[in-house]
């Protein structure tokens, strides 16, 4: 599938939304939202669906599927800004996007962030995860996946727990893996927007990122 690149207008729309994050501004710029956020995001995901599927992940060009909605749920948040000024794409192991292991690519007005993993392990999943970490073979493949993610600038967040839970063994090299309630690697700061995003090279650039992050996603699918 041919793809010309993401429109530059997408980042200009996001910059305006970030500066004027209110419903009046959004409604007066709904045409730009439709053309340069919604349609542009869905077109990019559709173009990526083939390469992503070859990596064993799912890309569905629909709102609330691979394209995360721009409207924020403010019901239980002190932050009442109604919109998230970002274009957030998710490529998952299944179709329960944002609830399964997946790769996240997030375009903001002045930067690009990306990462992979699974947030908020349930007690059962956390137990399976820790047992997998203690398995030498599975741990080795996890460490290889983490190294692959590191090659594109993604590193784990700080461990959730300060102390190692009992009765797991203490091994300084990988103890931090057992002290996690979520398994996530990501760019710890956005990188400057790369020019390749706005050219036909966008497909290869994003595919390369997904390829480096997919091993962690597949490890989580198998081991958790």
């Amino acid at each position: 599938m041919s793809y010309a690149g993401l429109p530059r207008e997408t980042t200009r729309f996001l910059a305006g939304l970030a500066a004027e994050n209110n419903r009046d501004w959004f409604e007066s710029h709904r045409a730009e939202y439709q053309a340069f956020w919604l349609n542009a995001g869905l077109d990019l995901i559709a173009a990526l669906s083939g390469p992503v599927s070859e990596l064993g992940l799912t890309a569905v060009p629909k709102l609330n599927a691979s394209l995360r909605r721009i409207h924020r749920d403010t019901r239980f948040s002190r932050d009442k800004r109604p919109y998230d000024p970002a274009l957030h794409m998710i490529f998952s192991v299944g179709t329960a996007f944002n609830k399964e292991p997946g790769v996240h690519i997030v375009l903001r007005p002045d930067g690009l962030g990306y990462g992979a993993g699974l947030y908020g392990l349930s007690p059962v999943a956390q137990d399976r995860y820790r047992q997998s970490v203690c398995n030498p073979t599975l741990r080795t493949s996890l460490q290889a996946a983490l190294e692959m993610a590191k090659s594109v600038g993604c590193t784990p967040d700080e461990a959730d727990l300060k102390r190692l839970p009992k009765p797991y063994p203490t091994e300084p090299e990988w103890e931090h893996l057992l002290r996690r309630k979520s398994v996530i690697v990501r760019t710890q700061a956005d990188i400057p927007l790369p020019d390749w995003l706005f050219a036909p090279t966008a497909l290869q650039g994003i595919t390369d990122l997904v390829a480096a992050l997919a091993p962690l996603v597949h490890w989580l699918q198998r081991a958790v």
Side-chain angles (χ1 to χ4, degrees):
M1 180 178 181
S2 62
Y3 182 72
L6 194 70
R8 292 276 183 182
E9 291 87 348
T10 300
T11 57
R12 288 196 279 270
F13 167 76
L14 292 174
L17 182 60
E20 300 286 344
N21 198 328
N22 59 76
R23 290 179 176 83
D24 288 343
W25 188 94
F26 184 83
E27 288 303 324
S28 68
H29 292 79
R30 182 169 283 277
E32 291 99 311
Y33 159 78
Q34 185 74 36
F36 303 126
W37 189 89
L38 182 58
N39 291 345
L42 295 178
D43 288 346
L44 176 54
I45 293 166
L48 286 165
S49 61
V52 166
S53 67
E54 292 179 4
L55 295 169
L57 299 178
T58 302
V60 177
K62 290 178 61 177
L63 194 61
N64 288 333
S66 283
L67 183 59
R68 191 169 181 175
R69 68 199 299 267
I70 201 169
H71 296 75
R72 296 181 65 248
D73 184 353
T74 62
R75 291 174 298 170
F76 308 107
S77 174
R78 292 183 178 179
D79 183 353
K80 298 302 181 183
R81 289 176 295 179
Y83 307 104
D84 180 15
L87 194 154
H88 187 155
M89 298 179 290
I90 306 172
F91 308 115
S92 177
V93 295
T95 57
F97 295 92
N98 215 32
K99 295 181 180 179
E100 298 177 313
V103 173
H104 294 245
I105 309 287
V106 185
L107 173 72
R108 296 186 177 88
D110 55 0
L112 180 69
Y114 46 87
L118 181 61
Y119 180 78
L121 298 176
S122 69
V124 173
Q126 192 171 63
D127 185 59
R128 287 199 299 265
Y129 164 71
R130 286 172 175 164
Q131 290 182 31
S132 296
V133 170
C134 291
N135 179 299
T137 300
L138 291 176
R139 184 173 65 250
T140 297
S141 60
L142 171 59
Q143 291 169 321
L146 294 174
E147 283 299 311
M148 182 69 76
K150 187 177 179 181
S151 73
V152 292
C154 290
T155 55
D157 290 346
E158 187 175 345
D160 302 285
L161 303 176
K162 292 184 178 180
R163 291 185 176 86
L164 185 68
K166 296 179 180 180
Y168 297 99
T170 299
E171 293 289 344
E173 291 186 4
W174 48 271
E175 175 190 304
H176 70 97
L177 296 173
L178 296 171
R179 293 189 284 111
R180 300 184 179 278
K181 295 182 179 180
S182 301
V183 185
I184 296 170
V185 296
R186 59 179 174 175
T187 51
Q188 298 300 318
D190 288 350
I191 65 171
L193 290 172
D195 288 335
W196 53 255
L197 261 179
F198 309 100
T201 47
L203 294 187
Q204 189 60 56
I206 294 176
T207 299
D208 289 345
L209 295 178
V210 176
L213 296 168
L216 176 60
V217 174
H218 291 307
W219 187 92
L220 288 167
Q221 181 187 28
R222 294 191 303 271
V224 177

